[in-house]
Amino acid sequence: LILALPTLITYLIQGKLFVKLEDEISPYRRRNAYYDRCISDREYFKETRLLGAYNYFFKQFSDSLHDYCDASARVEKRNNMNMITSRVITLGGYVGVLLLLFSSLMEGMISIGAFAAVFASITELMYSMRDLFDRDFNGAMRSYGSVRNFISFIDSFDKSYSPSQIVKRSAIQLQDVRFSYPGTEKETIRGISLSIEPGDTIAIVGENGAGKSTLMRLILGEYTASKGKVLADGLDLSEVAPADRYKNVSAVFQHFGKYQMTLRENIELSSIEKDEDSFSSAMEQADVSLDRSFPDRENTLLSREFGGVDISGGQWQRVAIARGLYRQHELIVLDEPTAAIDPIEETRLYKQFALISKDVTALIVTHRLGSARIADRIIVMKDGLIDDMGTHDELVEKRGHYADLYQAQAKWYA
């Protein structure tokens, strides 16, 4: 017991130390990785170098790394002191066993053969314990904090859902929906009730921070309402498994993925079961033209890193729109999908979108109020609430918040 218990207790203490360490250093590690990307990633590289921000980010990187190492060193120092204490106690037990054996031998209680056998057994036990604790148990205790956090994260989604369901998404209803982001008591959405009928085209507008994107994510099922219900054709999305919430839904986001694959793969990845006609239709609707930018046509690799080509931001945005249109959907969401496209092309694309979305429910989240004209209804968000609702002409005539926003933008084009 003296040989085994101190070491076992020490490793249990070690597990608790490294759980606390993981909670402490996680922010430092994430911050360090972020500053590393700001220094070296292609997304930030040009601006970082041009604006002379390299030294700033390198200092932030160094400071966060220093904090990370300091916290780790404090725990390692304490852990090592515990290990030394444990080893001293274990060594004392080992020496005690040898003295007991030697005393028994001298008093004739055991033979020399028994002494040798027990001594060899104790030594073998010591080596086995060292291998077990130092090699296996030590690694397990050091990783325990990370594993515990990961399991807790997975368990947060472990909820009993109904069996796999075919979720219809043509009609949407919100019943007194409220939402707060984790870690804050402030409600981003403050009691919204709304009905969207099949085939409606709805534009959601408002200032930054008004709750547009949050409302859109609640409708998609990406977020779950803190209070109230989001119903898809009468089915409460909170009772539907996450994987089923996205059935019959498509979206085009402002910050879309630029996948280092061929043009065809970039579009077809949203629904690999579809056919050539659907691919051609999505390309045409999104105005993706197979010009000289795509030397191998639809098989052009969109990645210079892998020997392919790079395309402009506007072309990437058209590819993202084609990907969204290619997927089978009853509900499609456009979240600022034309930010990298010039105003003339944007107007043409929205008019075309109005035609192709007649048979599906469409949500458009936009800052450009002129683009909202194509919607059947415009929802004006303000401070987490629906401030007003109606067509473009109706809202302008009311001279409310929407009219103020529209006039503020119109001045830039006067």
Side-chain angles (χ1 to χ4, degrees):
L1 290 177
I2 294 175
L3 292 175
L5 282 180
T7 305
L8 179 60
I9 293 171
T10 299
Y11 278 114
L12 292 177
I13 294 173
Q14 183 191 61
K16 293 183 178 181
L17 286 175
F18 279 94
V19 165
K20 293 181 180 179
L21 174 63
E22 183 65 27
D23 292 338
E24 182 178 356
I25 67 174
S26 290
Y28 300 141
R29 185 167 53 225
R30 289 194 297 269
R31 196 176 301 133
N32 191 253
Y34 173 70
Y35 292 136
D36 183 21
R37 294 199 304 273
C38 289
I39 291 171
S40 58
D41 272 16
R42 183 180 179 186
E43 180 182 358
Y44 303 100
F45 185 83
K46 184 188 299 184
E47 186 174 66
T48 299
R49 301 301 169 139
L50 181 65
L51 299 181
Y54 170 81
N55 291 332
Y56 172 81
F57 284 117
F58 184 78
K59 183 179 184 305
Q60 298 297 323
F61 174 84
S62 300
D63 290 346
S64 61
L65 184 60
H66 187 270
D67 292 337
Y68 175 91
C69 292
D70 276 353
S72 300
R74 287 195 301 271
V75 170
E76 290 287 358
K77 182 178 179 180
R78 184 176 174 185
N79 182 59
N80 289 339
M81 292 301 297
N82 290 339
M83 294 296 295
I84 291 172
T85 302
S86 170
R87 295 298 169 82
V88 169
I89 296 173
T90 301
L91 180 61
Y94 184 66
V95 172
V97 170
L98 293 181
L99 291 176
L100 181 61
L101 283 173
F102 185 75
S103 175
S104 299
L105 177 63
M106 290 296 98
E107 293 177 5
M109 297 173 63
I110 60 173
S111 66
I112 293 177
F115 175 86
V118 175
F119 178 74
S121 298
I122 293 295
T123 303
E124 183 64 28
L125 177 62
M126 286 286 293
Y127 282 122
S128 298
M129 286 174 50
R130 185 188 63 183
D131 290 343
L132 173 64
F133 287 123
D134 291 352
R135 183 186 62 194
D136 301 327
F137 214 63
N138 180 41
M141 289 298 99
R142 285 177 174 271
S143 302
Y144 177 66
S146 299
V147 174
R148 187 206 63 165
N149 289 346
F150 178 75
I151 291 175
S152 297
F153 176 75
I154 295 299
D155 285 345
S156 66
F157 297 95
D158 186 15
K159 179 181 176 182
S160 297
Y161 293 104
S162 303
S164 182
Q165 305 172 62
I166 299 177
V167 182
K168 297 293 184 179
R169 299 304 302 265
S170 56
I172 305 294
Q173 188 174 19
L174 282 70
Q175 298 178 350
D176 193 27
V177 170
R178 297 175 181 270
F179 179 80
S180 300
Y181 283 96
T184 177
E185 295 180 358
K186 180 183 178 182
E187 289 186 334
T188 306
I189 300 296
R190 302 188 294 131
I192 288 182
S193 295
L194 173 67
S195 292
I196 300 174
E197 299 300 322
D200 278 356
T201 298
I202 305 295
I204 305 175
V205 303
E207 299 172 318
N208 289 333
K212 304 186 300 297
S213 294
T214 303
L215 178 61
M216 176 266 294
R217 284 176 165 81
L218 286 165
I219 292 173
L220 283 176
E222 187 177 350
Y223 294 165
T224 301
S226 304
K227 295 180 181 178
K229 293 182 179 181
V230 179
L231 306 177
D233 281 48
L235 188 63
D236 189 347
L237 288 181
S238 66
E239 299 176 358
V240 177
D244 292 332
R245 295 177 193 172
Y246 305 122
K247 290 179 179 178
N248 298 312
V249 172
S250 189
V252 183
F253 297 104
Q254 180 179 359
H255 302 290
F256 50 83
K258 300 178 181 180
Y259 301 103
Q260 297 183 351
M261 299 182 293
T262 66
L263 171 62
R264 176 179 288 276
E265 290 170 332
N266 261 278
I267 294 173
E268 288 186 340
L269 61 83
S270 64
S271 184
I272 60 176
E273 296 86 4
K274 297 188 72 175
D275 53 28
E276 183 66 29
D277 291 340
S278 299
F279 175 80
S280 300
S281 176
M283 291 270 290
E284 181 180 353
Q285 291 170 357
D287 196 26
V288 180
S289 177
L290 295 176
D291 54 21
R292 61 183 181 181
S293 299
F294 304 98
D296 296 325
R297 299 181 64 78
E298 66 269 17
N299 295 317
T300 301
L301 181 62
L302 305 183
S303 169
R304 284 183 179 174
E305 288 86 342
F306 297 139
V309 301
D310 200 1
I311 55 178
S312 68
Q315 288 173 311
W316 268 119
Q317 198 142 37
R318 292 186 185 92
V319 171
I321 293 170
R323 181 162 58 235
L325 295 174
Y326 180 80
R327 175 175 167 82
Q328 181 67 38
H329 58 271
E330 296 173 352
L331 169 66
I332 186 168
V333 172
L334 303 184
D335 182 15
E336 295 287 351
T338 57
I341 296 177
D342 62 77
I344 295 176
E345 181 64 21
E346 177 191 34
T347 300
R348 191 201 66 78
L349 185 62
Y350 270 121
K351 287 181 178 178
Q352 187 171 0
F353 178 76
L355 295 175
I356 63 180
S357 62
K358 280 185 176 181
D359 298 327
V360 299
T361 305
L363 298 179
I364 303 171
V365 180
T366 182
H367 286 92
R368 301 178 181 178
L369 302 190
S371 304
R373 289 172 178 261
I374 69 167
D376 300 319
R377 279 185 296 162
I378 300 173
I379 296 173
V380 186
M381 296 288 297
K382 185 177 181 181
D383 298 327
L385 293 168
I386 295 179
D387 181 74
D388 210 342
M389 189 185 309
T391 65
H392 172 79
D393 292 336
E394 290 172 349
L395 292 172
V396 169
E397 289 178 4
K398 288 183 179 180
R399 300 185 179 277
H401 185 55
Y402 178 86
D404 293 338
L405 293 174
Y406 183 73
Q407 291 300 323
Q409 289 190 10
K411 291 178 181 178
W412 292 98
Y413 297 95

